């Protein structure tokens, strides 16, 4: 279960859990935007410290965030290496054929690595501390101005929350199917690219069948409970904006000002 963390929700009573989901989603996306404005060591350290403070207040063990990075480690390594060998400028430390390792390349690779870590961490923190229903509530509130142009905001928010909810479920099922296929002699890791793609067929077919089965069962359950996107729905739980939300907004605004004023 711990192999894939993104999309999971861990119930808790921490300060991060208690934040208004609308404010939490907005702050998360705002943080991701600010990450791309950072371009020196001080700005990245400031964002990294903010992440550490948020993790501390969430009361979630650090291993969950490490596990959230593991599935993307190959992508991170490849991106960092490409940035390292193809960025030119500054002092050259080593060169081979068309590849060069320069001081600017090392700096760019470090910045790309930090961006990956910060974005993955804040995204994982959002899903770990916000239930799917709260995410749907937050997205619906954010998109509510679009109701004036008759956009089905409730349906869109419900679709997004359901998608996030089933990401870890389908991931767990994919791992179970892979383990079952390995026990029957299927090798997913050897051979050329064509052979590896063919070896995924025994995985994809039952996974698609399982996904459609979940979708069918969910639709039946929603119909049995009288759900209709055309009807105006009341909210079982409300999420008022409290003083912790204002503190969070002030802190992230303060960090963003540091990033903007201290960037090169």
């Amino acid at each position: 279960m711990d192999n894939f963390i993104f999309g999971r929700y861990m119930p808790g009573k921490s300060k991060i859990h208690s934040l208004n989901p609308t404010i939490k989603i907005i702050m998360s996306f705002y943080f991701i935007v600010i990450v791309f404005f950072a371009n020196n060591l001080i700005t990245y350290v400031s964002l990294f410290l903010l992440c550490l403070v948020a993790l501390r207040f969430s009361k979630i063990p650090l291993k969950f965030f490490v596990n959230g990075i593991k599935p993307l480690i190959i992508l991170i390594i490849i991106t960092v290496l490409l940035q390292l060998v193809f960025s030119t400028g500054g002092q050259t430390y080593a060169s081979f054929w068309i590849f060069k390792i320069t001081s600017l390349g090392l700096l760019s690779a470090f910045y790309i690595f930090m961006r990956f870590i910060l974005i993955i961490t804040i995204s994982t923190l959002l899903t770990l501390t916000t239930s799917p229903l709260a995410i749907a509530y937050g997205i619906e509130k954010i998109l509510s101005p679009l109701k004036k142009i008759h956009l089905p905001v409730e349906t869109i928010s419900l679709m997004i929350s359901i998608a996030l909810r089933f990401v870890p479920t389908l991931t767990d099922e994919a791992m179970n199917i892979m383990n079952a296929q390995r026990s029957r002699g299927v090798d997913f890791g050897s051979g050329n690219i064509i052979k590896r793609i063919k070896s995924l067929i025994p995985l994809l077919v039952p996974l698609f069948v399982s996904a459609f089965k979940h979708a069918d069962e969910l639709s039946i359950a929603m119909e049995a409970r009288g759900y209709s996107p055309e009807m105006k729905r009341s909210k079982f739980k409300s999420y008022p904006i409290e003083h912790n939300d204002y503190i969070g907004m002030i802190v992230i605004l303060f960090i963003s000002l540091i990033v903007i004023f201290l960037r090169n």
Side-chain angles (χ1 to χ4, degrees):
M1 179 177 175
D2 293 341
N3 290 330
F4 195 90
I5 302 300
F6 182 80
R8 300 189 190 279
Y9 169 62
M10 291 186 61
K13 297 182 179 180
S14 70
K15 294 183 183 298
I16 304 298
H17 282 83
S18 64
L19 290 176
N20 182 289
T22 305
I23 301 300
K24 202 186 305 184
I25 293 171
I26 292 174
M27 286 195 298
S28 298
F29 279 97
Y30 183 77
F31 180 88
I32 292 172
V33 172
I34 292 300
V35 166
F36 289 96
F37 279 87
N39 64 352
N40 57 49
L41 185 60
I42 298 177
T43 54
Y44 277 108
V45 169
S46 301
L47 294 173
F48 187 73
L49 290 176
L50 178 60
C51 262
L52 289 180
V53 171
L55 298 186
R56 176 68 180 84
F57 280 112
S58 71
K59 297 182 180 179
I60 296 176
L62 186 60
K63 68 175 183 178
F64 287 99
F65 298 94
V66 175
N67 289 336
I69 294 172
K70 283 181 180 178
L72 299 173
I73 193 66
I74 301 298
L75 175 63
I76 294 174
I77 291 174
I78 292 174
T79 306
V80 169
L81 288 177
L82 289 175
Q83 195 74 24
L84 178 64
V85 299
F86 285 110
S87 294
T88 58
Q91 184 179 354
T92 301
Y93 298 115
S95 62
F96 173 73
W97 193 34
I98 61 173
F99 306 112
K100 287 185 178 181
I101 298 178
T102 64
S103 57
L104 181 60
L106 288 170
L107 199 60
S108 299
F110 171 75
Y111 291 161
I112 290 294
F113 175 77
M114 287 297 295
R115 285 178 182 176
F116 268 110
I117 298 301
L118 291 170
I119 292 173
I120 293 172
T121 301
I122 206 67
S123 302
T124 305
L125 181 64
L126 173 64
T127 57
L128 284 175
T129 61
T130 316
S131 68
L133 288 178
I135 290 177
Y137 174 90
I139 294 174
E140 183 178 337
K141 285 294 184 181
I142 293 170
L143 298 179
S144 57
L146 298 178
K147 290 181 180 179
K148 295 181 179 179
I149 58 174
H150 304 291
L151 192 74
V153 172
E154 293 87 353
T155 303
I156 293 173
S157 61
L158 180 65
M159 289 170 57
I160 295 174
S161 64
I162 290 174
L164 287 174
R165 168 63 184 82
F166 279 100
V167 165
T169 301
L170 294 178
T171 303
D172 288 341
E173 292 189 357
M175 293 299 298
N176 293 333
I177 294 170
M178 288 182 70
N179 291 333
Q181 296 292 352
R182 286 194 181 102
S183 68
R184 292 170 174 80
V186 177
D187 187 0
F188 293 99
S190 64
N192 56 34
I193 186 66
I194 302 298
K195 186 177 179 181
R196 291 187 182 186
I197 292 174
K198 288 182 178 179
S199 68
L200 290 176
I201 295 176
L203 169 65
L204 295 177
V205 173
L207 190 60
F208 271 108
V209 171
S210 177
F212 284 117
K213 182 181 178 181
H214 281 302
D216 185 55
E217 291 175 348
L218 181 62
S219 64
I220 293 173
M222 293 175 68
E223 288 178 0
R225 288 163 175 79
Y227 175 80
S228 174
E230 287 81 19
M231 296 177 62
K232 185 174 179 60
R233 300 164 56 216
S234 60
K235 303 297 181 185
F236 177 76
K237 184 178 180 180
S238 61
Y239 299 90
I241 299 178
E242 299 178 345
H243 68 279
N244 283 338
D245 299 298
Y246 292 109
I247 292 173
M249 289 187 287
I250 292 171
V251 170
I252 196 170
L253 180 61
F254 178 72
I255 296 297
S256 66
L257 291 175
I258 291 176
V259 171
I260 291 172
F261 283 111
L262 295 183
R263 70 191 303 267
N264 295 331

